[in-house]
Amino acid sequence: MKLILNILGICLVIGFTYLISMNRKAVNFKNTLRALVGQFIIAGILVKLPQGRYVIQKVSGAVEKILSYGSEGIQFVFGSLGDPTGPTGFIFAFQTLTNIIFISALVAVLFYTGVLGFVVSKIGKLIGKIFKTSEVESFVAVANMFLGQTDSPILVAKYLKIMTDSEVMLVLVSGMGSMSVSIIAGYVALGIPMESLLIASTMVPVGSILLSKIVAPQTEKIREVGEVKMDRKGNNENVLDALAAGAIDGMNMAMAIGASLIAIIAIVALVNGILSVLGLSLETILSYLFAPIGYFMGLEGGQVLTAGELLGSKLVLNEFVAFGKLGPLLPAMTERTGLILAISLAGFANLSSIGICISGISVLCPEKRPTLAKLALRAMVSGFCVSLLSALIVGIWLLF
């Protein structure tokens, strides 16, 4: 029964994106099927193939080790406040948000030295050849395995003005469906397994291609750009300049996340206070609105409503709020339930991301602002569906 529900869920996700398509007659079903098969193969390698699971475990361990080095700088500046085993215990602001500064600085150095660019270009070329996407959009889709929704377009900023609506849609969808390496430490601190996050990130490029090309099929002629050369972030003078710029970006990101969490959680408390007069809460409303998604994931009983609440929180509020609720629940869940819920919540697709995408990418290419405004809402919904599709496909593999 769960298998049938998951298959129906996949059909509904793809059917929904077809329903909101900007040109249904132009959808290339052959490429759609190719991308769907590709997603199944990637998921099978990651969750069922022993070699794939081994690689995920090793990479997960390596990433967690790297993240742990951030505590050295945090404890130097904040002392015992930066030590979760210290007398003050765990403090999210000092031990999680501050680690974003270290990771952001590290990513900036990898940008400048060309390490990230090399990895992205190699994988991007391969994906472009297999799924018939342009080199520029393929690079951005792959970059979103590591970067945020406004960071990855920086790599190809000079090409944005010549990109078609379909290419821009892929940039937006992959950004909405992705996670930034800089804030993964925050998710892990909330109790989300690194392995789940890595699986979700790995499935972003192909899933984004699959759904974005349904929502915005390629009908315009793609302008050839020859050999695509990716820009280094910020045009820094040297490695130290890149490190400093990355640290400042990380500080701004940490402050923005902290501020938004304070505001969102407080607003939710206010709304719940008002709704309590009616015997309701925002969580209860969201759980019922999004419960059908949990049902098609093959969840049972109260877990259907739990999934609905988490998915609603992710879309209406943000993924930090949703992950914060999921973390404490994971120990009591089965491997399948925990993994598919974690993957379904991964990504930046929420209402506030619409404004972030439009403003962030418009800075790089003001000419594309009208296009971004036209595509952003569909891109947000499609990015949300990218995570759902990945979760449903992984859920099928875990039944065997």
Side-chain angles (χ1 to χ4, degrees):
M1 185 62 180
K2 290 181 180 179
L3 176 61
I4 295 173
L5 287 173
N6 278 191
I7 293 173
L8 286 174
I10 291 171
C11 293
L12 288 173
V13 169
I14 295 176
F16 176 74
T17 52
Y18 180 75
L19 185 66
I20 64 172
S21 174
M22 300 171 69
N23 189 345
R24 298 188 190 98
K25 293 181 180 179
V27 175
N28 188 325
F29 291 103
K30 182 178 179 180
N31 283 343
T32 298
L33 181 60
R34 182 186 292 115
L36 182 59
V37 171
Q39 277 294 75
F40 268 96
I41 292 173
I42 293 170
I45 291 172
L46 296 177
V47 303
K48 294 301 289 185
L49 195 68
Q51 294 88 336
R53 292 185 66 91
Y54 175 81
V55 170
I56 286 291
Q57 290 169 0
K58 289 298 181 183
V59 173
S60 176
V63 174
E64 288 180 338
K65 183 67 175 177
I66 291 172
L67 293 176
S68 69
Y69 293 130
S71 63
E72 297 291 330
I74 295 170
Q75 291 180 40
F76 178 81
V77 174
F78 295 108
S80 62
L81 291 175
D83 183 6
T85 62
T88 54
F90 176 75
I91 303 176
F92 184 76
F94 291 109
Q95 295 150 25
T96 297
L97 292 182
T98 47
N99 208 25
I100 293 173
I101 298 172
F102 161 61
I103 301 301
S104 180
L106 178 61
V107 170
V109 170
L110 293 176
F111 254 147
Y112 182 81
T113 56
V115 174
L116 268 185
F118 176 79
V119 174
V120 167
S121 65
K122 296 302 181 185
I123 301 176
K125 285 181 178 179
L126 177 63
I127 283 182
K129 288 180 180 178
I130 295 174
F131 301 106
K132 312 302 180 185
T133 49
S134 71
E135 198 169 2
V136 177
E137 63 182 338
S138 300
F139 284 177
V140 177
V142 172
N144 276 311
M145 292 169 61
F146 311 100
L147 307 173
Q149 55 193 331
T150 55
D151 286 335
S152 58
I154 294 173
L155 288 170
V156 292
K158 61 186 176 185
Y159 303 112
L160 287 173
K161 62 183 178 182
I162 64 170
M163 294 177 72
T164 66
D165 286 3
S166 181
E167 290 177 295
V168 173
M169 178 62 86
L170 177 51
V171 171
L172 292 174
V173 173
S174 61
M176 295 282 195
S178 70
M179 296 177 290
S180 170
V181 171
S182 300
I183 61 174
I184 277 183
Y187 304 149
V188 174
L190 293 173
I192 309 303
M194 178 62 73
E195 292 179 21
S196 301
L197 299 173
L198 290 178
I199 291 171
S201 291
T202 306
M203 297 184 71
V204 165
V206 178
S208 300
I209 291 171
L210 194 165
L211 298 184
S212 71
K213 294 305 179 184
I214 294 176
V215 177
Q218 186 67 62
T219 56
E220 303 169 77
K221 182 177 175 58
I222 297 175
R223 289 181 58 178
E224 299 295 332
V225 295
E227 183 69 21
V228 175
K229 296 185 182 298
M230 288 176 286
D231 296 328
R232 289 179 176 178
K233 185 180 181 182
N235 296 316
N236 305 112
E237 294 296 328
N238 51 45
V239 172
L240 290 177
D241 187 27
L243 188 149
I248 292 172
D249 288 344
M251 179 185 69
N252 292 334
M253 192 186 307
M255 291 174 64
I257 292 171
S260 65
L261 286 175
I262 291 171
I264 288 171
I265 292 171
I267 290 295
V268 169
L270 172 62
V271 171
N272 283 340
I274 297 172
L275 290 174
S276 65
V277 176
L278 303 173
L280 296 172
S281 69
L282 182 61
E283 290 83 357
T284 301
I285 294 172
L286 291 175
S287 67
Y288 281 98
L289 283 176
F290 290 87
I293 299 176
Y295 177 73
F296 284 106
M297 287 178 174
L299 304 183
E300 300 174 347
Q303 290 182 338
V304 172
L305 291 177
T306 298
E309 179 187 340
L310 295 173
L311 290 165
S313 297
K314 182 262 179 86
L315 182 63
V316 177
L317 305 175
N318 66 34
E319 78 285 355
F320 260 103
V321 174
F323 277 141
K325 294 178 180 180
L326 175 62
L329 301 176
L330 285 175
M333 292 180 173
T334 64
E335 178 192 7
R336 181 180 181 275
T337 300
L339 183 55
I340 62 176
L341 284 178
I343 292 174
S344 69
L345 299 180
F348 295 123
N350 57 63
L351 295 176
S352 62
S353 287
I354 295 176
I356 293 172
C357 268
I358 294 174
S359 58
I361 301 178
S362 293
V363 171
L364 302 174
C365 185
E367 301 96 317
K368 285 294 182 182
R369 188 177 185 87
T371 300
L372 293 166
K374 177 178 70 174
L375 302 178
L377 180 59
R378 283 187 174 93
M380 186 273 292
V381 174
S382 301
F384 183 74
C385 288
V386 167
S387 301
L388 292 182
L389 184 64
S390 297
L392 289 165
I393 291 173
V394 167
I396 288 178
W397 277 111
L398 291 176
L399 291 174
F400 300 97

